[in-house]
Amino acid sequence: MQLFTDNSFFIWLAGLSIPAIYLGCREKSLKWYGMFVTFVFVWLSMGSNLNALFNLGLYTVIEYAVVRIYLELRTKKGRVTWQYRIFLLASLAPLTIYKILGLTGNKYHIFAFLGLSYMTFKSTQMVIEIYDGVIKDFKTSNFIYLLLFFPAITSGPIDRSRRFDEDIDKIIPREEYLELLGEGIYKILKGMVYKMVIAACFYTVMNYFGTGGTWYSIAIYFYIYGVYLFFDFAGYSNMAIGASYIFGVRTPENFNAPFVSKDIKEFWNRWHMTLSFWFRDFLFSRITMALVRTRKIKNKLVIATIAFMINMFVMGVWHGLELNYIVYGLYHGVLLSACEIFQKKSKFYKAHKKDKWFIGVSWFITLHLVMFGFFIFSGRLGILLSNQG
């Protein structure tokens, strides 16, 4: 069974939601029932692949041990940087091993299960915030539930432990739950329309008209791929958020009309927001602070450029070690750096940034830069270039 794709999933979701709705309306805790449903869906989606199920279990045990042991050390020893770095690398190790083995085919399917990349964000965030002193303790049950929470296990949105804990440990008043339930059902229906109707239509058009080598086929693919990607992924995200609401969890939003963005920084504040905000908070800002503390680089724009390039390179590698993903990350690093420099240094920008014509031109340019980025991401540009060679 594929979550949020197969008809059987929606039948199971509808049936398993009934007790959740009953508990929510009775102002009872949804945590333990939600955990039960999560285990049911993990089994239904991976039960036919015992290797994947075993690797998921192994991964969960490893990440729990990393986070728990580091918390104990942090409590007893305080902020010891070398210890923090070891446990940070340990939390990233399964994903790193999987990515590297993927280059050679991963014959034994080590850590090969859907959701590994997204689950890693959650455990790594906890290690970082334990080091920061923000997380003082955590419940084992909450950790397992966060990691495996079925709506977000395969493709996000990426939640954070402290926010998630507040939701699952909270008893929701009946009226508030009914409102949440209504919003959840609406989001599931909206997501189904996005993914199964609109995205499917764009995908059909793209495959039928956009796969040739003519200039117009390339142009069709260039514009449609990004739009298809949005409706497909935003549709999934809406369904995941909607299902979360039914079980009392306000999983954060992932998209906010990204194609209306007037510059590339605004785009990343609207596109795959839980991913971009995670990188902003746990990588970009920390690189920036580290560079400022060294006092070796005094130019703020140089610091921002270095941070943008590293941040987006890592994001590209997170998507995959294939060249198109790495180039995609570096491409957006360059765009973000250029945008920052232009907005901070350009007198022309400062004089016209509020003019309607300038806003319109900025939107047009941003849209095409974004679409070209998706063209790189899809791998189609690499194929065209290799054919030319």
mmCIF file of all heavy atoms in Angstrom, residues 13-30 33-34 37 172-175 177-182 184-185 188 242-248:
data_model
loop_
_atom_site.group_PDB
_atom_site.id
_atom_site.type_symbol
_atom_site.label_atom_id
_atom_site.label_comp_id
_atom_site.label_asym_id
_atom_site.label_seq_id
_atom_site.Cartn_x
_atom_site.Cartn_y
_atom_site.Cartn_z
ATOM 1 N N LEU A 13 -7.939 4.796 5.978
ATOM 2 C CA LEU A 13 -7.908 6.079 6.695
ATOM 3 C C LEU A 13 -9.299 6.466 7.177
ATOM 4 O O LEU A 13 -9.477 6.900 8.331
ATOM 5 C CB LEU A 13 -7.345 7.183 5.786
ATOM 6 C CG LEU A 13 -7.317 8.591 6.394
ATOM 7 C CD1 LEU A 13 -6.388 8.643 7.609
ATOM 8 C CD2 LEU A 13 -6.864 9.616 5.345
ATOM 9 N N ALA A 14 -10.286 6.290 6.313
ATOM 10 C CA ALA A 14 -11.655 6.629 6.696
ATOM 11 C C ALA A 14 -12.116 5.781 7.879
ATOM 12 O O ALA A 14 -12.691 6.296 8.854
ATOM 13 C CB ALA A 14 -12.591 6.440 5.501
ATOM 14 N N GLY A 15 -11.839 4.473 7.812
ATOM 15 C CA GLY A 15 -12.266 3.585 8.894
ATOM 16 C C GLY A 15 -11.545 3.856 10.205
ATOM 17 O O GLY A 15 -12.170 3.916 11.278
ATOM 18 N N LEU A 16 -10.235 4.056 10.132
ATOM 19 C CA LEU A 16 -9.449 4.273 11.341
ATOM 20 C C LEU A 16 -9.618 5.675 11.917
ATOM 21 O O LEU A 16 -9.263 5.928 13.074
ATOM 22 C CB LEU A 16 -7.965 4.018 11.037
ATOM 23 C CG LEU A 16 -7.591 2.559 10.750
ATOM 24 C CD1 LEU A 16 -6.165 2.466 10.241
ATOM 25 C CD2 LEU A 16 -7.774 1.698 12.007
ATOM 26 N N SER A 17 -10.190 6.581 11.127
ATOM 27 C CA SER A 17 -10.436 7.933 11.623
ATOM 28 C C SER A 17 -11.667 8.008 12.522
ATOM 29 O O SER A 17 -11.779 8.930 13.352
ATOM 30 C CB SER A 17 -10.623 8.900 10.441
ATOM 31 O OG SER A 17 -9.420 9.061 9.723
ATOM 32 N N ILE A 18 -12.590 7.060 12.374
ATOM 33 C CA ILE A 18 -13.839 7.111 13.142
ATOM 34 C C ILE A 18 -13.586 7.100 14.650
ATOM 35 O O ILE A 18 -14.110 7.964 15.374
ATOM 36 C CB ILE A 18 -14.788 5.963 12.711
ATOM 37 C CG1 ILE A 18 -15.224 6.167 11.254
ATOM 38 C CG2 ILE A 18 -15.996 5.885 13.636
ATOM 39 C CD1 ILE A 18 -15.982 4.996 10.664
ATOM 40 N N PRO A 19 -12.785 6.166 15.193
ATOM 41 C CA PRO A 19 -12.493 6.213 16.632
ATOM 42 C C PRO A 19 -11.774 7.499 17.044
ATOM 43 O O PRO A 19 -11.999 8.016 18.145
ATOM 44 C CB PRO A 19 -11.608 4.986 16.861
ATOM 45 C CG PRO A 19 -11.957 4.055 15.747
ATOM 46 C CD PRO A 19 -12.215 4.951 14.580
ATOM 47 N N ALA A 20 -10.900 8.025 16.153
ATOM 48 C CA ALA A 20 -10.198 9.277 16.462
ATOM 49 C C ALA A 20 -11.188 10.424 16.593
ATOM 50 O O ALA A 20 -11.084 11.261 17.507
ATOM 51 C CB ALA A 20 -9.164 9.587 15.377
ATOM 52 N N ILE A 21 -12.166 10.472 15.689
ATOM 53 C CA ILE A 21 -13.183 11.523 15.742
ATOM 54 C C ILE A 21 -14.015 11.383 17.011
ATOM 55 O O ILE A 21 -14.330 12.382 17.679
ATOM 56 C CB ILE A 21 -14.073 11.463 14.478
ATOM 57 C CG1 ILE A 21 -13.235 11.788 13.229
ATOM 58 C CG2 ILE A 21 -15.252 12.426 14.599
ATOM 59 C CD1 ILE A 21 -13.943 11.501 11.919
ATOM 60 N N TYR A 22 -14.336 10.152 17.363
ATOM 61 C CA TYR A 22 -15.095 9.904 18.602
ATOM 62 C C TYR A 22 -14.309 10.405 19.813
ATOM 63 O O TYR A 22 -14.850 11.111 20.671
ATOM 64 C CB TYR A 22 -15.397 8.412 18.733
ATOM 65 C CG TYR A 22 -16.033 8.037 20.061
ATOM 66 C CD1 TYR A 22 -17.396 8.240 20.288
ATOM 67 C CD2 TYR A 22 -15.260 7.487 21.085
ATOM 68 C CE1 TYR A 22 -17.972 7.920 21.505
ATOM 69 C CE2 TYR A 22 -15.834 7.143 22.291
ATOM 70 C CZ TYR A 22 -17.184 7.363 22.504
ATOM 71 O OH TYR A 22 -17.751 7.043 23.719
ATOM 72 N N LEU A 23 -13.029 10.052 19.888
ATOM 73 C CA LEU A 23 -12.197 10.477 21.013
ATOM 74 C C LEU A 23 -12.048 11.997 21.045
ATOM 75 O O LEU A 23 -12.099 12.618 22.113
ATOM 76 C CB LEU A 23 -10.813 9.827 20.917
ATOM 77 C CG LEU A 23 -10.750 8.317 21.170
ATOM 78 C CD1 LEU A 23 -9.372 7.781 20.807
ATOM 79 C CD2 LEU A 23 -11.080 7.996 22.625
ATOM 80 N N GLY A 24 -11.859 12.593 19.857
ATOM 81 C CA GLY A 24 -11.720 14.043 19.791
ATOM 82 C C GLY A 24 -12.966 14.765 20.245
ATOM 83 O O GLY A 24 -12.895 15.764 20.974
ATOM 84 N N CYS A 25 -14.114 14.261 19.846
ATOM 85 C CA CYS A 25 -15.390 14.883 20.242
ATOM 86 C C CYS A 25 -15.676 14.684 21.731
ATOM 87 O O CYS A 25 -16.391 15.493 22.334
ATOM 88 C CB CYS A 25 -16.530 14.309 19.404
ATOM 89 S SG CYS A 25 -16.481 14.797 17.660
ATOM 90 N N ARG A 26 -15.121 13.634 22.304
ATOM 91 C CA ARG A 26 -15.294 13.377 23.744
ATOM 92 C C ARG A 26 -14.202 14.041 24.585
ATOM 93 O O ARG A 26 -14.139 13.843 25.789
ATOM 94 C CB ARG A 26 -15.296 11.866 24.007
ATOM 95 C CG ARG A 26 -16.487 11.107 23.420
ATOM 96 C CD ARG A 26 -17.797 11.479 24.086
ATOM 97 N NE ARG A 26 -17.765 11.237 25.526
ATOM 98 C CZ ARG A 26 -18.071 10.078 26.101
ATOM 99 N NH1 ARG A 26 -18.398 9.035 25.346
ATOM 100 N NH2 ARG A 26 -18.043 9.950 27.413
ATOM 101 N N GLU A 27 -13.350 14.821 23.927
ATOM 102 C CA GLU A 27 -12.257 15.539 24.607
ATOM 103 C C GLU A 27 -11.311 14.569 25.327
ATOM 104 O O GLU A 27 -10.876 14.799 26.458
ATOM 105 C CB GLU A 27 -12.793 16.599 25.560
ATOM 106 C CG GLU A 27 -13.618 17.675 24.854
ATOM 107 C CD GLU A 27 -14.043 18.801 25.784
ATOM 108 O OE1 GLU A 27 -13.708 18.754 26.979
ATOM 109 O OE2 GLU A 27 -14.701 19.744 25.298
ATOM 110 N N LYS A 28 -10.969 13.496 24.613
ATOM 111 C CA LYS A 28 -10.026 12.506 25.132
ATOM 112 C C LYS A 28 -8.687 12.633 24.391
ATOM 113 O O LYS A 28 -8.608 13.181 23.297
ATOM 114 C CB LYS A 28 -10.567 11.079 24.936
ATOM 115 C CG LYS A 28 -11.921 10.827 25.586
ATOM 116 C CD LYS A 28 -11.854 10.914 27.101
ATOM 117 C CE LYS A 28 -13.216 10.589 27.728
ATOM 118 N NZ LYS A 28 -13.167 10.698 29.207
ATOM 119 N N SER A 29 -7.637 12.100 24.994
ATOM 120 C CA SER A 29 -6.320 12.129 24.359
ATOM 121 C C SER A 29 -6.319 11.280 23.088
ATOM 122 O O SER A 29 -6.858 10.175 23.061
ATOM 123 C CB SER A 29 -5.260 11.606 25.335
ATOM 124 O OG SER A 29 -4.020 11.456 24.667
ATOM 125 N N LEU A 30 -5.708 11.817 22.042
ATOM 126 C CA LEU A 30 -5.615 11.102 20.770
ATOM 127 C C LEU A 30 -4.250 10.454 20.571
ATOM 128 O O LEU A 30 -4.019 9.758 19.581
ATOM 129 C CB LEU A 30 -5.878 12.072 19.611
ATOM 130 C CG LEU A 30 -7.321 12.560 19.468
ATOM 131 C CD1 LEU A 30 -7.369 13.813 18.599
ATOM 132 C CD2 LEU A 30 -8.188 11.476 18.862
ATOM 133 N N TYR A 33 -4.050 6.325 20.558
ATOM 134 C CA TYR A 33 -4.752 5.769 19.408
ATOM 135 C C TYR A 33 -4.037 6.167 18.119
ATOM 136 O O TYR A 33 -3.905 5.369 17.187
ATOM 137 C CB TYR A 33 -6.208 6.232 19.369
ATOM 138 C CG TYR A 33 -6.942 5.661 18.170
ATOM 139 C CD1 TYR A 33 -7.205 4.300 18.085
ATOM 140 C CD2 TYR A 33 -7.317 6.481 17.107
ATOM 141 C CE1 TYR A 33 -7.837 3.761 16.969
ATOM 142 C CE2 TYR A 33 -7.947 5.956 15.998
ATOM 143 C CZ TYR A 33 -8.202 4.597 15.925
ATOM 144 O OH TYR A 33 -8.819 4.065 14.806
ATOM 145 N N GLY A 34 -3.549 7.413 18.077
ATOM 146 C CA GLY A 34 -2.794 7.863 16.904
ATOM 147 C C GLY A 34 -1.542 7.029 16.683
ATOM 148 O O GLY A 34 -1.179 6.718 15.545
ATOM 149 N N VAL A 37 -2.631 3.709 15.158
ATOM 150 C CA VAL A 37 -2.937 3.872 13.731
ATOM 151 C C VAL A 37 -1.647 4.010 12.924
ATOM 152 O O VAL A 37 -1.521 3.473 11.819
ATOM 153 C CB VAL A 37 -3.865 5.087 13.506
ATOM 154 C CG1 VAL A 37 -4.040 5.371 12.013
ATOM 155 C CG2 VAL A 37 -5.220 4.836 14.153
ATOM 156 N N ILE A 172 -7.697 18.517 23.448
ATOM 157 C CA ILE A 172 -8.315 19.567 22.626
ATOM 158 C C ILE A 172 -9.787 19.727 22.993
ATOM 159 O O ILE A 172 -10.534 18.741 23.001
ATOM 160 C CB ILE A 172 -8.198 19.215 21.125
ATOM 161 C CG1 ILE A 172 -6.738 18.919 20.760
ATOM 162 C CG2 ILE A 172 -8.738 20.352 20.265
ATOM 163 C CD1 ILE A 172 -6.544 18.412 19.345
ATOM 164 N N PRO A 173 -10.237 20.942 23.298
ATOM 165 C CA PRO A 173 -11.668 21.165 23.557
ATOM 166 C C PRO A 173 -12.516 20.742 22.359
ATOM 167 O O PRO A 173 -12.066 20.816 21.208
ATOM 168 C CB PRO A 173 -11.754 22.683 23.776
ATOM 169 C CG PRO A 173 -10.370 23.083 24.198
ATOM 170 C CD PRO A 173 -9.442 22.165 23.465
ATOM 171 N N ARG A 174 -13.727 20.301 22.623
ATOM 172 C CA ARG A 174 -14.580 19.718 21.591
ATOM 173 C C ARG A 174 -14.776 20.659 20.403
ATOM 174 O O ARG A 174 -14.635 20.251 19.239
ATOM 175 C CB ARG A 174 -15.940 19.348 22.200
ATOM 176 C CG ARG A 174 -16.891 18.647 21.219
ATOM 177 C CD ARG A 174 -18.154 18.185 21.927
ATOM 178 N NE ARG A 174 -19.016 17.451 21.028
ATOM 179 C CZ ARG A 174 -19.934 18.015 20.226
ATOM 180 N NH1 ARG A 174 -20.074 19.337 20.230
ATOM 181 N NH2 ARG A 174 -20.678 17.263 19.440
ATOM 182 N N GLU A 175 -15.108 21.921 20.675
ATOM 183 C CA GLU A 175 -15.365 22.864 19.587
ATOM 184 C C GLU A 175 -14.110 23.086 18.744
ATOM 185 O O GLU A 175 -14.179 23.180 17.516
ATOM 186 C CB GLU A 175 -15.858 24.203 20.156
ATOM 187 C CG GLU A 175 -17.237 24.130 20.799
ATOM 188 C CD GLU A 175 -18.302 23.626 19.821
ATOM 189 O OE1 GLU A 175 -18.268 24.059 18.642
ATOM 190 O OE2 GLU A 175 -19.131 22.792 20.213
ATOM 191 N N TYR A 177 -11.679 20.932 18.374
ATOM 192 C CA TYR A 177 -11.414 19.717 17.602
ATOM 193 C C TYR A 177 -12.331 19.628 16.381
ATOM 194 O O TYR A 177 -11.876 19.245 15.285
ATOM 195 C CB TYR A 177 -11.579 18.457 18.453
ATOM 196 C CG TYR A 177 -11.371 17.209 17.620
ATOM 197 C CD1 TYR A 177 -10.093 16.817 17.229
ATOM 198 C CD2 TYR A 177 -12.460 16.464 17.168
ATOM 199 C CE1 TYR A 177 -9.902 15.703 16.423
ATOM 200 C CE2 TYR A 177 -12.275 15.354 16.358
ATOM 201 C CZ TYR A 177 -10.986 14.981 15.989
ATOM 202 O OH TYR A 177 -10.802 13.878 15.167
ATOM 203 N N LEU A 178 -13.594 19.978 16.551
ATOM 204 C CA LEU A 178 -14.526 19.927 15.418
ATOM 205 C C LEU A 178 -14.092 20.883 14.307
ATOM 206 O O LEU A 178 -14.211 20.567 13.119
ATOM 207 C CB LEU A 178 -15.946 20.267 15.891
ATOM 208 C CG LEU A 178 -16.640 19.178 16.733
ATOM 209 C CD1 LEU A 178 -17.969 19.700 17.286
ATOM 210 C CD2 LEU A 178 -16.863 17.915 15.904
ATOM 211 N N GLU A 179 -13.595 22.044 14.706
ATOM 212 C CA GLU A 179 -13.084 22.990 13.706
ATOM 213 C C GLU A 179 -11.854 22.412 13.006
ATOM 214 O O GLU A 179 -11.703 22.502 11.787
ATOM 215 C CB GLU A 179 -12.737 24.313 14.388
ATOM 216 C CG GLU A 179 -12.283 25.397 13.417
ATOM 217 C CD GLU A 179 -12.000 26.722 14.096
ATOM 218 O OE1 GLU A 179 -12.457 26.919 15.240
ATOM 219 O OE2 GLU A 179 -11.321 27.565 13.477
ATOM 220 N N LEU A 180 -10.968 21.801 13.804
ATOM 221 C CA LEU A 180 -9.769 21.169 13.260
ATOM 222 C C LEU A 180 -10.139 20.023 12.322
ATOM 223 O O LEU A 180 -9.544 19.859 11.255
ATOM 224 C CB LEU A 180 -8.901 20.657 14.414
ATOM 225 C CG LEU A 180 -7.466 20.232 14.099
ATOM 226 C CD1 LEU A 180 -6.650 21.421 13.608
ATOM 227 C CD2 LEU A 180 -6.815 19.618 15.334
ATOM 228 N N LEU A 181 -11.135 19.246 12.712
ATOM 229 C CA LEU A 181 -11.606 18.131 11.896
ATOM 230 C C LEU A 181 -12.127 18.626 10.551
ATOM 231 O O LEU A 181 -11.811 18.060 9.498
ATOM 232 C CB LEU A 181 -12.712 17.374 12.644
ATOM 233 C CG LEU A 181 -13.433 16.267 11.869
ATOM 234 C CD1 LEU A 181 -12.470 15.140 11.501
ATOM 235 C CD2 LEU A 181 -14.603 15.729 12.698
ATOM 236 N N GLY A 182 -12.932 19.690 10.582
ATOM 237 C CA GLY A 182 -13.463 20.250 9.332
ATOM 238 C C GLY A 182 -12.348 20.733 8.423
ATOM 239 O O GLY A 182 -12.364 20.475 7.203
ATOM 240 N N GLY A 184 -9.323 19.632 8.450
ATOM 241 C CA GLY A 184 -8.586 18.456 8.008
ATOM 242 C C GLY A 184 -9.252 17.778 6.825
ATOM 243 O O GLY A 184 -8.582 17.420 5.843
ATOM 244 N N ILE A 185 -10.560 17.595 6.896
ATOM 245 C CA ILE A 185 -11.291 16.958 5.793
ATOM 246 C C ILE A 185 -11.187 17.816 4.531
ATOM 247 O O ILE A 185 -10.980 17.298 3.424
ATOM 248 C CB ILE A 185 -12.762 16.725 6.189
ATOM 249 C CG1 ILE A 185 -12.830 15.679 7.317
ATOM 250 C CG2 ILE A 185 -13.583 16.280 4.986
ATOM 251 C CD1 ILE A 185 -14.207 15.520 7.930
ATOM 252 N N ILE A 188 -7.755 17.372 3.003
ATOM 253 C CA ILE A 188 -7.625 16.079 2.318
ATOM 254 C C ILE A 188 -8.293 16.135 0.946
ATOM 255 O O ILE A 188 -7.722 15.696 -0.060
ATOM 256 C CB ILE A 188 -8.234 14.950 3.169
ATOM 257 C CG1 ILE A 188 -7.372 14.704 4.419
ATOM 258 C CG2 ILE A 188 -8.353 13.660 2.358
ATOM 259 C CD1 ILE A 188 -7.991 13.743 5.416
ATOM 260 N N GLY A 242 -4.034 17.369 6.446
ATOM 261 C CA GLY A 242 -5.428 17.090 6.766
ATOM 262 C C GLY A 242 -5.583 15.857 7.628
ATOM 263 O O GLY A 242 -6.334 15.843 8.613
ATOM 264 N N ALA A 243 -4.865 14.780 7.288
ATOM 265 C CA ALA A 243 -4.915 13.558 8.096
ATOM 266 C C ALA A 243 -4.358 13.811 9.494
ATOM 267 O O ALA A 243 -4.875 13.279 10.485
ATOM 268 C CB ALA A 243 -4.114 12.451 7.399
ATOM 269 N N SER A 244 -3.318 14.625 9.576
ATOM 270 C CA SER A 244 -2.747 14.981 10.883
ATOM 271 C C SER A 244 -3.780 15.665 11.765
ATOM 272 O O SER A 244 -3.888 15.375 12.969
ATOM 273 C CB SER A 244 -1.547 15.919 10.703
ATOM 274 O OG SER A 244 -0.542 15.340 9.928
ATOM 275 N N TYR A 245 -4.536 16.575 11.167
ATOM 276 C CA TYR A 245 -5.565 17.314 11.919
ATOM 277 C C TYR A 245 -6.576 16.363 12.554
ATOM 278 O O TYR A 245 -7.017 16.566 13.689
ATOM 279 C CB TYR A 245 -6.285 18.289 10.998
ATOM 280 C CG TYR A 245 -5.520 19.557 10.663
ATOM 281 C CD1 TYR A 245 -4.187 19.727 11.027
ATOM 282 C CD2 TYR A 245 -6.144 20.598 9.971
ATOM 283 C CE1 TYR A 245 -3.502 20.884 10.711
ATOM 284 C CE2 TYR A 245 -5.461 21.769 9.655
ATOM 285 C CZ TYR A 245 -4.149 21.910 10.021
ATOM 286 O OH TYR A 245 -3.481 23.065 9.708
ATOM 287 N N ILE A 246 -6.959 15.326 11.811
ATOM 288 C CA ILE A 246 -7.948 14.380 12.336
ATOM 289 C C ILE A 246 -7.434 13.728 13.613
ATOM 290 O O ILE A 246 -8.208 13.439 14.538
ATOM 291 C CB ILE A 246 -8.283 13.314 11.272
ATOM 292 C CG1 ILE A 246 -8.993 13.959 10.076
ATOM 293 C CG2 ILE A 246 -9.156 12.199 11.869
ATOM 294 C CD1 ILE A 246 -9.214 13.022 8.903
ATOM 295 N N PHE A 247 -6.117 13.541 13.691
ATOM 296 C CA PHE A 247 -5.518 12.898 14.860
ATOM 297 C C PHE A 247 -4.946 13.925 15.849
ATOM 298 O O PHE A 247 -4.130 13.595 16.698
ATOM 299 C CB PHE A 247 -4.461 11.897 14.416
ATOM 300 C CG PHE A 247 -5.057 10.695 13.737
ATOM 301 C CD1 PHE A 247 -5.336 10.712 12.373
ATOM 302 C CD2 PHE A 247 -5.398 9.564 14.471
ATOM 303 C CE1 PHE A 247 -5.921 9.621 11.750
ATOM 304 C CE2 PHE A 247 -5.988 8.469 13.853
ATOM 305 C CZ PHE A 247 -6.254 8.499 12.498
ATOM 306 N N GLY A 248 -5.401 15.179 15.692
ATOM 307 C CA GLY A 248 -5.093 16.207 16.679
ATOM 308 C C GLY A 248 -3.734 16.855 16.560
ATOM 309 O O GLY A 248 -3.289 17.548 17.482
#
